[in-house]
Amino acid sequence: MKLKAEWAPYTLNFLFEARTSRESMRQKSTWLVRLTDTDTSHVGVGECALFRGLSADDTPDYERRLAEACRAVETAADAEAAIHSFAESSIIFGFETALGNLNELEDNSFTRGEAGIPINGLIWMGDKATMRNRIDEKLAKGFNVLKLKIGGIDFESEVDLLHYVRTVYSPDSLEIRLDANGSFSPCNAMKRLDELSRFSIHSIEQPIKQNQWAAMAGICAKSPIPVALDEDLIGKRTDAEKAALLETVNPQYIILKPALCGGLAESAAWIEAAVSRKIGWWATSALESNIGLDAIARWCFRQGAMIPQGLGTGQLYSNNFPSPLELRGDRMFYNPTESWDIPQLPWRQ
């Protein structure tokens, strides 16, 4: 198979100000890659979902490296091997997706529209009133698992929000996950975790900033709330590095963002390493467009994901690509009667 490889930049526009403990965003830059089989004219499109300020491959020469990746795939005797030799997680993810989309859509109960993937309802940071309204909206839509990003407003207000939720919804009717995005410090983390534990929290992602293995190991050992590693997984790591992190920190869960932690194949390797150590997992999207979200959703289904996943709903942006993905209650479905609509883009080689 002879491939032609091209790339194009794209800017996604948020429908609202998206806030985390790190930043506030109105736009999100992403890059698409298109592979064409020159023998059959079949086309596969993927998303190189770089996350500025978070991805390990966020460098000023990113587009040059993306162009080099296109040339490498075009000249490689084995395109798949060439893709997995790249150093950049987002580029690997984009090319994995494009290469997969060159082939016929896999046939399973998800792609046939028969089975949906359970997901959590994500509550973005905002002021107290805004977050409360967002919580009410998600609950009204039928979500029974909520994920709240914390660390963006004062801790006391966040505790008040959790108190409000628990006065209305018991732990039996609503599961709460928290994502601290590293906003706690090693000094105050245990005190805050103790205070949050009275609200029957399922888990908390990345309570302190990444690359503090010893401190995180201590927190995981003592925390009254199960701890999930997120940012600590970012970057393409060897199997030995995966094992060292999991054995040193010994978290209760890991959270996989394929575009940030080595791509789809590497994420599957993370799952294998975690499961062998009795560590749970789920996957989350990381502000991808529907192209990247579709790839992660189909991958999650293939991995046999059992618990609610952290998949976006495709409704963050005003200019997302229309797709077969649909949200029905608290489940994501693929509607095979719908089609993709990707506009004309300035493709480059």
Side-chain angles (χ1 to χ4, degrees), residues 70-97:
C70 286
R71 291 191 290 271
V73 168
E74 286 184 340
T75 58
D78 184 336
E80 187 171 358
I83 289 167
H84 291 122
S85 72
F86 299 153
E88 301 86 2
S89 293
S90 59
I91 293 177
I92 294 170
F93 174 73
F95 276 92
E96 280 179 324
T97 303

Side-chain angles (χ1 to χ4, degrees), residues 107-124:
D107 181 24
N108 56 43
S109 57
F110 178 67
T111 59
R112 291 194 297 270
E114 299 165 356
I117 299 172
I119 65 173
N120 60 229
L122 176 61
I123 307 300
W124 281 91

